[in-house]
Amino acid sequence: MTATTEQQLSLEDARAYLLDRARERGVTLEVYGERGTSTSVKAFQGEVSEFKLSARQGVALRALVKGAWGYSFTENLSPPALDRALDSAVENAELVAPEPGAGLQNWPPPPALDLYGEGLSGVTVEQKVGVALELDRAAREADPRVTSLPYGGYSDSDAQRLVGNTEGLERGARELHAMQYAYPLVSEGGQNKMKGDWQFTREFTELDPTRTALSAVEKALALLGAKPAPSGTFPAIISGECLGELLALFSVMFSGKMVEEGKSPLAGRLGETIASPLVTLLDDPTLPRGLNSRAFDAEGCPSAPLALIENGKLAAFMHNAQTAARAGTTSTGHAARSGLQGTVGVAPSNLILQPGRTEGTAVASGLTGVRVTGVSGGHAGANPITGDFSLQAEGFWVEGGEVQHPLEVFTVAGNILDLLAGIEAVGNELHETQYAVAAPDVRVEALAVGGA
Amino acid sequence: MLNESLASEVLTLARSGGADFAELFVEDTVSTTLRLHQGEVKDAGGGNLFGAGLRLLYGPRVVYAYTNDVTESGLRDLAEQVARARGGAGEVSREGAGGLDFRRLDAKPLYVARDHPLHAAKRDKLALMRRAHGGAAGVGDVKTVDVNYLDRVQRVLIANSEGLWAEDERVWTRLSVSAIAQDGTLRETGYYGPGSGQGLEFFDTVTPENIGAEAARIANAMLRAGYAPAGKLPVVIGNEFGGVIFHEACGHILETTAVEKNASVFADKLGQKIAHESVSAIDDGTIPGSWGMVTVDDEGMPGERTVLIENGVLKSFMVDRVGELKTGYKRTGSGRRQNYTYAPASRMRSTFIDRGEETPESLIRQVPLGIYARKMGGGSVTPGTGDYNFAVNEAYMIRNGEIAEPLRGASLVGNGAQDLRNIVGVAGDLALGQGMCGSISGSLPTDVGQPHILISEITVGGRA
């Protein structure tokens, strides 16, 4: 085990230290750093069941040696550990095949984007605990059929992100979020159901735990009294929340990296019609309240909105600087790292399927079939290489446009591109999901359902 | 190395706000990740995860804090912060009442890596990957091959206010292959990724060539498959990773994390018959060199073999320290966490349905019309309801007791409590498969496993 007496540098000092050492050695280097403090509080049966405080920081390195990238990371920010990390990144680069187009840039400045708000320094521990307790109380008192709130709580984070490279780039940003979630368990006649709601904000004072708890209870209660689903192919309403989940599972199809490696069914189809003309899909990193908003990406490239599908036509792929160079285009600012341990890939920020013109319940007008309100099991049941999905679903039986009753656990199956092509109506209200995808309700002509 | 007097000071300081128990977890983890795409090295990375977590218990209520600042002053700050975390209750005093008298836990390692990943050159690891690539590339219609390699060496120290001092080194190695078969616009994927709690000697028994070949076989077998039917059918589930059904459908709701909240349909069923009498199920942390091996758990307790279900009767839950406080069931060495950023929770280790009397062929012969789910993908479960789902990566129709045409895009959904009763046949070919299990204390290496089993009826999600 490493000695505990080694001095730890700050994130900025670690970046400067590494870039200095790299310049001395003539190594082209990118340093990405993250530091965050967070609090999370869970409440159960009127008491705080868990209280968690964290402070975490670390740097990820990417060294370019003879056209090849080598990666490493370290959470130990002592100078000897930083030296080891630099050695390791260089050693790794020497093993890797050179990548055409690999390079670092000193990008222009990012857009001004306030993702920090008032901050959390004026918020006391008691206030945070109060949110979790209020969620628990309000959910349990809302209805006698609520058994408990097994998953409910508050969390926040105050995060700093920085990027720097030996080409002279230096970027830094601070982001804050506070959120609450409630997943009540409800029970009636031997049937158990669980469903929830959540709220995300950049200002603590905007949190409304009572409202989230009541809405969560309402969603869970709506699932009671479920009857077996029929098996067959039916017209369907895909709720905005459910469509958001599906799009999140398949968003990698739009990644320039997946296209390049032959893992996207959209490869070679830019400009083609791939969806119903009612479909316009945007990625917007600059939304002030987006879950994944950011002013610059993991390479320091400035962020801007990007249309992926425009009126049914495939308009763009997402790129980082390296995939863009090989595709003969420029970065769209979608370089992404998942934490410090991964490599630099490509990922969406906030996806939005643009709302349409069909008002509210008119999306279901005259429909006899299913209303699907959620899917699960996506990490295994959705294949972004083929677009195929077969997933556990939750929803309701609809007759003549009216919801009749909830359905017992069933499945939906299909292909995401067929589903997007088959959209007949798009609702005019956006629903946000915890997957950073917002979408309206849509109607499709046919969806395969597996039930009793 | 953290010395005992500092650990003692930190634990005492942390408890000064009135906590009943304090536990310090220090971690230094070194990992290597490598990826080959089409035989070329695309990514080489890895690094050093380094930090400490401090857990306080006030009765069964948990306060947890962690930091990367594992210096003397960083740890003291953490202890003071955590002592105050309950909103200023209690007094923070710097006056320690004498040091803790630590007892070193003398747990003999269940397996010692012979070809230790920290001593092996990256070139040797790449050589293994190239062999795996060779096993898949160009086989049948396979056009694209990705090989991923991971090793992780986690060194931990667990010290607590009861005087426990436990140190452990955990080694994990894994090699996985994804193959894409393509014919015109038809494409299908095959995946195989065994792993172990051993060093690189693991790949002497499970050869890289065979890992590649298995991924290629699945991709080719599924390439021209039709879509699976939808509806309720009998299903024969393959051995090894097929055990993911028990993991999702039952395993998670036998963890005290679910039981203690009454968010488990099995919470009050101890001693009752919950499954068909042919079903016995075990969660075992003591299999030497296994992916789910636990010499000591992340609370410093030696791992053990826990019989969950015996001949259909519920015998035990999987219990961690907090679970014991809340439910009264004895700890089973099941307190696990991904790393220092998580408080431990009751988690699975190597979980499997034990071998039965039948053969895979005899199970298939019993099915006039149904599905043979030979290779499973992953799955998930909603703890409160027991509703689960999982994906099938390789499936076939069974017609008149014989394996017939291949099927793509099948998933299986159901309810754990119900389907456990529908397991009506268990074969003798028990094998374990490796996966990463995500839950409240992070993503952990766990084995799933079973022999071939027959489920009389389960909902199949297809579209034919």
Side-chain angles (χ1 to χ4, degrees):
Chain A
M1 189 127 339
T2 314
T4 51
T5 47
E6 290 176 350
Q7 179 216 347
Q8 300 286 308
L9 300 185
S10 72
L11 215 51
E12 289 86 353
D13 290 349
R15 173 173 68 179
Y17 180 89
L18 284 164
L19 293 176
D20 285 348
R21 294 290 90 74
R23 286 192 185 101
E24 283 168 18
R25 293 172 58 173
V27 172
T28 304
L29 184 74
E30 175 182 84
V31 180
Y32 174 88
E34 285 178 351
R35 174 179 171 74
T37 56
S38 67
T39 305
S40 92
V41 189
K42 293 178 187 170
F44 185 68
Q45 305 290 49
E47 291 189 325
V48 173
S49 54
E50 195 181 304
F51 189 102
K52 188 168 170 177
L53 290 167
S54 68
R56 192 176 193 186
Q57 62 182 15
V59 290
L61 285 65
R62 188 164 68 143
L64 185 62
V65 180
K66 292 181 192 140
W69 292 116
Y71 287 85
S72 70
F73 74 91
T74 179
E75 295 184 330
N76 184 343
L77 299 186
S78 67
L82 295 172
D83 288 332
R84 286 195 295 273
L86 180 57
D87 287 345
S88 173
V90 171
E91 184 204 346
N92 285 334
E94 286 163 352
L95 298 171
V96 171
E99 258 186 20
L104 292 173
Q105 294 182 48
N106 189 352
W107 300 96
L113 196 59
D114 178 13
L115 303 177
Y116 197 73
E118 299 285 309
L120 286 166
S121 58
V123 182
T124 64
V125 166
E126 286 81 0
Q127 283 175 290
K128 297 177 185 185
V129 166
V131 170
L133 290 172
E134 176 57 17
L135 280 168
D136 179 67
R137 187 200 61 78
R140 286 183 296 120
E141 290 178 3
D143 192 285
R145 290 168 291 176
V146 175
T147 312
S148 67
L149 185 69
Y151 303 92
Y154 163 87
S155 71
D156 62 39
S157 97
D158 181 335
Q160 178 193 0
R161 215 161 55 89
L162 56 78
V163 191
N165 66 38
T166 46
E167 306 308 298
L169 179 107
E170 258 186 35
R171 296 280 175 269
R174 281 187 86 179
E175 287 148 24
L176 177 137
H177 81 246
M179 77 178 289
Q180 59 186 18
Y181 56 94
Y183 288 80
L185 183 63
V186 296
S187 182
E188 186 176 45
Q191 216 174 53
N192 290 330
K193 295 287 174 189
M194 197 163 79
K195 177 83 176 173
D197 204 356
W198 56 285
Q199 187 192 351
F200 168 88
T201 172
R202 302 206 187 273
E203 304 293 353
F204 179 85
T205 50
E206 287 176 2
L207 290 176
D208 186 344
T210 313
R211 196 165 141 193
T212 296
L214 294 179
S215 150
V217 168
E218 194 183 321
K219 288 182 176 187
L221 290 177
L223 298 174
L224 287 171
K227 297 178 182 171
S231 290
T233 299
F234 303 99
I237 304 300
I238 318 279
S239 78
E241 282 172 288
C242 178
L243 185 58
E245 288 177 61
L246 283 171
L247 289 169
L249 293 170
F250 288 103
S251 63
V252 298
M253 291 175 32
F254 297 94
S255 153
K257 189 173 165 112
M258 290 295 143
V259 169
E260 176 180 306
E261 295 191 353
K263 294 174 190 164
S264 167
L266 295 176
R269 299 185 63 185
L270 269 183
E272 283 181 26
T273 297
I274 59 154
S276 153
L278 300 172
V279 172
T280 291
L281 180 68
L282 298 178
D283 184 74
D284 190 352
T286 65
L287 297 175
R289 284 166 176 273
L291 278 158
N292 288 342
S293 296
R294 48 176 165 68
F296 54 88
D297 73 3
E299 293 179 306
C301 179
S303 295
L306 176 72
L308 299 169
I309 303 176
E310 258 180 312
N311 304 320
K313 284 200 170 64
L314 179 60
F317 292 119
M318 299 177 289
H319 283 290
N320 63 31
Q322 332 302 320
T323 63
R326 290 188 291 278
T329 178
T330 50
S331 175
T332 58
H334 284 91
R337 282 180 175 274
S338 56
L340 303 173
Q341 307 186 37
T343 54
V344 175
V346 172
S349 59
N350 308 298
L351 287 172
I352 306 139
L353 197 132
Q354 292 288 87
R357 298 228 176 98
T358 310
E359 288 194 23
T361 52
V363 181
S365 178
L367 176 132
T368 293
V370 293
R371 175 178 170 81
V372 189
T373 53
V375 287
S376 44
H379 64 294
N383 184 342
I385 294 175
T386 60
D388 288 338
F389 62 85
S390 176
L391 297 164
Q392 177 184 331
E394 162 205 286
F396 299 85
W397 182 250
V398 178
E399 271 178 31
E402 302 289 326
V403 167
Q404 299 297 304
H405 55 78
L407 296 171
E408 281 175 11
V409 60
F410 65 102
T411 66
V412 292
N415 183 284
I416 188 70
L417 294 175
D418 295 343
L419 185 132
L420 290 174
I423 290 177
E424 296 173 319
V426 178
N428 64 355
E429 275 175 59
L430 266 187
H431 298 270
E432 301 207 10
T433 69
Q434 284 187 70
Y435 310 94
V437 186
D441 290 0
V442 299
R443 174 181 176 142
V444 295
E445 54 195 339
L447 186 68
V449 170
Chain B
M1 185 73 80
L2 198 59
N3 66 46
E4 294 189 9
S5 71
L6 178 60
S8 171
E9 185 192 336
V10 166
L11 289 167
T12 307
L13 190 55
R15 276 188 67 198
S16 62
D20 302 313
F21 171 82
E23 171 192 75
L24 179 65
F25 179 86
V26 187
E27 166 176 17
D28 189 356
T29 294
V30 177
S31 60
T32 304
T33 52
L34 300 164
R35 181 172 77 104
L36 286 189
H37 172 67
Q38 301 294 58
E40 284 206 331
V41 188
K42 280 282 182 182
D43 299 319
N48 187 193
L49 200 74
F50 180 67
L54 196 49
R55 178 169 67 152
L56 299 185
L57 298 182
Y58 295 80
R61 287 175 291 282
V62 179
V63 172
Y64 192 75
Y66 65 83
T67 182
N68 301 122
D69 189 357
V70 192
T71 59
E72 286 191 32
S73 66
L75 290 172
R76 280 194 198 100
D77 286 351
L78 187 72
E80 291 195 2
Q81 207 186 6
V82 79
R84 276 198 301 263
R86 287 189 23 121
E91 293 261 305
V92 176
S93 163
R94 281 184 170 277
E95 307 302 317
L100 286 164
D101 187 13
F102 288 112
R103 284 170 287 106
R104 274 176 195 273
L105 181 78
D106 188 21
K108 188 167 169 281
L110 294 164
Y111 187 95
V112 177
R114 289 199 302 277
D115 194 353
H116 198 286
L118 286 186
H119 304 144
K122 289 201 178 117
R123 281 180 178 73
D124 295 339
K125 298 170 188 178
L126 287 171
L128 293 170
M129 296 172 74
R130 292 208 171 87
R131 286 167 57 195
H133 172 83
V139 176
D141 291 301
V142 169
K143 301 289 193 295
T144 307
V145 179
D146 274 82
V147 183
N148 279 282
Y149 170 87
L150 165 81
D151 63 49
R152 194 150 62 99
V153 179
Q154 182 192 38
R155 293 184 183 130
V156 300
L157 161 68
I158 304 142
N160 70 29
S161 57
E162 292 170 350
L164 173 87
W165 186 280
E167 293 179 48
D168 192 20
E169 178 185 282
R170 293 87 178 256
V171 172
W172 289 283
T173 54
R174 189 176 200 183
L175 190 56
S176 65
V177 176
S178 297
I180 304 177
Q182 204 163 350
D183 180 9
T185 56
L186 280 181
R187 50 163 66 192
E188 213 27 82
T189 57
Y191 171 85
Y192 191 50
S196 83
Q198 306 175 28
L200 297 174
E201 70 273 12
F202 172 64
F203 300 106
D204 298 341
T205 39
V206 178
T207 70
E209 287 83 357
N210 285 343
I211 298 171
E214 179 66 357
R217 187 191 64 74
I218 297 166
N220 280 313
M222 291 297 104
L223 182 60
R224 291 173 188 83
Y227 286 103
K232 278 198 173 167
L233 287 168
V235 177
V236 173
I237 298 177
N239 65 350
E240 195 185 84
F241 202 73
V244 72
I245 184 176
F246 184 81
H247 177 102
E248 298 301 346
C250 303
H252 278 295
I253 44 183
L254 293 176
E255 296 166 340
T256 46
T257 323
V259 174
E260 74 203 18
K261 291 179 171 172
N262 255 330
S264 167
V265 286
F266 295 133
D268 52 359
K269 299 283 196 296
L270 205 63
Q272 295 183 31
K273 192 159 179 292
I274 61 165
H276 191 270
E277 61 208 21
S278 63
V279 177
S280 291
I282 289 144
D283 181 76
D284 193 348
T286 65
I287 304 169
S290 67
W291 185 240
M293 178 178 76
V294 171
T295 294
V296 293
D297 74 0
D298 292 315
E299 302 181 325
M301 178 176 171
E304 61 176 47
R305 183 178 195 271
T306 309
V307 176
L308 303 172
I309 297 171
E310 194 169 62
N311 302 327
V313 176
L314 181 61
K315 287 288 184 185
S316 179
F317 298 110
M318 290 167 271
V319 189
D320 64 334
R321 181 180 286 270
V322 171
E324 179 178 82
L325 288 169
K326 288 186 178 173
T327 65
Y329 300 125
K330 284 199 93 58
R331 286 163 73 195
T332 55
S334 304
R336 301 186 70 195
R337 51 180 137 194
Q338 179 180 335
N339 56 43
Y340 70 90
T341 69
Y342 295 90
S346 56
R347 299 290 296 270
M348 283 176 265
R349 299 162 301 198
S350 298
T351 316
F352 55 91
I353 295 179
D354 213 352
R355 48 175 64 83
E357 303 289 318
E358 305 213 43
T359 64
E361 296 73 25
S362 68
L363 297 179
I364 289 164
R365 268 202 303 278
Q366 292 169 44
V367 179
L369 182 70
I371 306 276
Y372 175 37
R374 178 166 169 179
K375 289 277 179 183
M376 305 304 304
S380 62
V381 65
T382 310
T385 65
D387 290 341
Y388 69 85
N389 65 84
F390 52 104
V392 189
N393 286 351
E394 184 186 359
Y396 301 85
M397 280 308 292
I398 303 174
R399 296 184 192 279
N400 303 318
E402 287 185 7
I403 296 171
E405 73 274 16
L407 299 172
R408 75 168 72 192
S411 65
L412 304 180
V413 303
N415 185 276
Q418 286 164 17
D419 292 336
L420 204 48
R421 297 178 178 278
N422 293 340
I423 299 177
V424 293
V426 179
D429 58 340
L430 170 67
L432 300 182
Q434 290 75 47
M436 295 303 293
C437 165
S439 184
I440 56 166
S441 62
S443 176
L444 287 171
T446 53
D447 289 293
V448 299
Q450 65 175 32
H452 275 75
I453 61 169
L454 169 60
I455 300 186
S456 59
E457 185 181 79
I458 194 165
T459 300
V460 179
R463 50 168 148 154

